[in-house]
Amino acid sequence: MEFTLNEEQIRIQEIARKFSYEELAPVAPDRDRIQDWEERMPWDLTEKASALGLRQLPYPKEYGGMGADVLSCCLAGEELAAGDLGFAVNLDQTWKLSHIFEKVESGVRDPWMKRLCEEPRFLAAISMTEEGAGTDHQGYYDDPSIALYTRAEKEGGKWVINGKKRYVSNGPVASLYVLAARTDLNKNLREGLTGFLVPRETPGISIGEVHEKIGQRLSMNSEIFYEDVEIPENHVILGEGNMFEIRGNLLAMGKPEAAATALGVGRAAFEKALAYSRERVQGGKPIGQHQAIETMLADMAMNLDIARTYIWRTAWAVDHQKPYDFTQGWKCKVFASEVAFDCARLGMEVFGGAGIMHDAPMEKYLRDASTFLHSDGTNQILRLRTGQAYVKGVATAF
């Protein structure tokens, strides 16, 4: 078993780390507090990341990407999130599309991949969640009565879509959506839900409320309205009624990347707590020399190391394990997000009373880390789906 990174992976990690520490981290705290979302949106940083190849990281080199594997995306995601989680999420949402493009016919896929790699502000979004369907679209419970009401109806050689989505990451800024719509209301979601590629400029699409969040504030979530949106038949992904193949398998391959972004927040909290423990003097010596602080730092370091190892193992499995055990991604996302939150909480304790102040870094890390306890699937539902998979015998014990 080999844990040594190859030269290309190290290069990508170093590019992302340099960008994160020099460009992202210095401006993120002030950007985080801007009230107007359009002013807060980090387009300038997105363009700089594009120039370095980070936004288009997993896409083929022939289109202008870097052809990076999943582990490389995890390495970059951790580094970017150490600078700011919201910014890392913007890119990660765009990376997810690379897993889906593999199943789109080349005549549709290739122009979009070329455009994605060439346009420095091209971001992607997954348009799934609705007012009555958050956890219900995750697949643990399935019934025709589930309140996912966005509807796609076939008219001649095209599909006409009507409905409303909310909480969509990159919703108001994406150039391309992966949309889930029901093509048969009498069927369960596993049979009656279909995935579509929907260009942002398609007539009938409008942006509703842009949601204000406590964390990931450099990533914009919004409502999206679809009113008689016409989509060509060849923009259906994997055929009619197969959105759950996309949801359950293709997007599950991006779970270690999401876990890595959560990990980046925990690592940043640890780094700041460690530095503070060396500088802050109480009881006649730096607080890092007191056992109470030492044990907290040790717990943070151990759990971060375990989470990173789990993420790397899962990233390797996506590219090499056939068939890929999708519970791996669920499990590592749950573990990494909870480690990140615990590190932010312990980091705040290391800072003591200073930790809750706006001019200290910990309050932002705690806000950011809290978002991934539910983001990309709540940890509770991912635990239930994992247990269900083992009970049904569709996951391996080791």
Side-chain angles (χ1 to χ4, degrees), residues 59-109:
Y59 293 93
K61 291 182 179 180
E62 57 263 36
Y63 297 99
M66 294 182 72
D69 60 9
V70 175
L71 177 54
S72 296
C73 290
C74 290
L75 297 171
E78 178 184 337
E79 297 300 334
L80 293 172
D84 183 79
L85 178 61
F87 184 84
V89 166
N90 291 346
L91 300 198
D92 180 46
Q93 290 293 313
T94 304
W95 297 344
K96 285 181 178 179
L97 195 58
S98 66
H99 301 291
I100 294 171
F101 268 155
E102 296 175 4
K103 302 298 182 181
V104 176
E105 65 175 68
S106 60
V108 175
R109 175 192 65 212

Side-chain angles (χ1 to χ4, degrees), residues 141-265:
Y141 169 77
D142 195 14
D143 187 86
S145 65
I146 286 176
L148 197 152
Y149 293 136
T150 298
R151 181 87 167 95
E153 297 178 292
K154 203 167 187 178
E155 295 184 6
K158 63 180 182 298
W159 290 90
V160 179
I161 299 171
N162 285 280
K164 172 186 173 184
K165 301 291 184 178
R166 71 171 182 177
Y167 299 162
V168 179
S169 293
N170 282 345
V173 297
S175 298
L176 185 64
Y177 302 118
V178 174
L179 168 71
R182 296 183 76 165
T183 45
D184 193 331
L185 294 174
N186 296 314
K187 292 181 178 179
N188 293 344
L189 296 190
R190 289 186 181 276
E191 299 173 341
L193 195 65
T194 300
F196 299 85
L197 279 182
V198 181
R200 171 68 178 87
E201 62 267 23
T202 307
I205 296 176
S206 60
I207 304 301
E209 177 187 358
V210 178
H211 308 290
E212 290 295 340
K213 315 187 299 294
I214 65 169
Q216 292 188 37
R217 288 182 52 76
L218 269 62
S219 179
M220 309 307 155
N221 297 62
S222 75
E223 297 176 322
I224 306 175
F225 295 96
Y226 300 90
E227 299 179 22
D228 293 327
V229 174
E230 296 185 1
I231 299 299
E233 199 167 1
N234 62 1
H235 278 54
V236 174
I237 308 168
L238 287 178
E240 183 179 348
N242 285 317
M243 183 64 197
F244 256 85
E245 175 67 17
I246 302 167
R247 187 74 182 84
N249 293 330
L250 301 182
L251 291 178
M253 293 178 180
K255 277 288 191 287
E257 297 163 7
T261 61
L263 179 70
V265 180

Side-chain angles (χ1 to χ4, degrees), residues 276-397:
Y276 185 78
S277 76
R278 292 167 172 164
E279 300 166 358
R280 173 67 171 167
V281 175
Q282 291 287 279
K285 56 186 176 182
I287 61 173
Q289 295 179 21
H290 291 289
Q291 289 180 337
I293 302 297
E294 287 175 334
T295 58
M296 287 192 282
L297 292 171
D299 283 343
M300 295 165 76
M302 287 188 294
N303 286 321
L304 286 168
D305 197 19
I306 295 167
R308 183 178 294 108
T309 302
Y310 201 174
I311 291 167
W312 287 19
R313 173 189 166 192
T314 304
W316 179 91
V318 171
D319 285 330
H320 297 90
Q321 185 186 64
K322 305 297 179 187
Y324 170 62
D325 178 0
F326 46 84
T327 67
Q328 292 276 58
W330 301 341
K331 291 179 292 188
C332 83
K333 182 270 174 180
V334 169
F335 188 78
S337 64
E338 293 181 359
V339 165
F341 184 79
D342 286 344
C343 284
R345 177 183 61 81
L346 289 172
M348 182 167 281
E349 292 190 35
V350 171
F351 270 72
I356 64 171
M357 304 302 170
H358 269 302
D359 58 358
M362 288 302 162
E363 63 88 23
K364 179 177 183 296
Y365 293 144
L366 193 64
R367 288 189 286 109
D368 281 346
S370 71
T371 65
F372 254 96
L373 299 177
H374 79 276
S375 186
D376 217 345
T378 68
N379 285 0
Q380 292 82 1
I381 200 64
L382 293 179
R383 281 185 166 92
L384 289 173
R385 293 179 73 192
T386 297
Q388 186 182 66
Y390 280 107
V391 169
K392 291 183 175 180
V394 294
T396 56

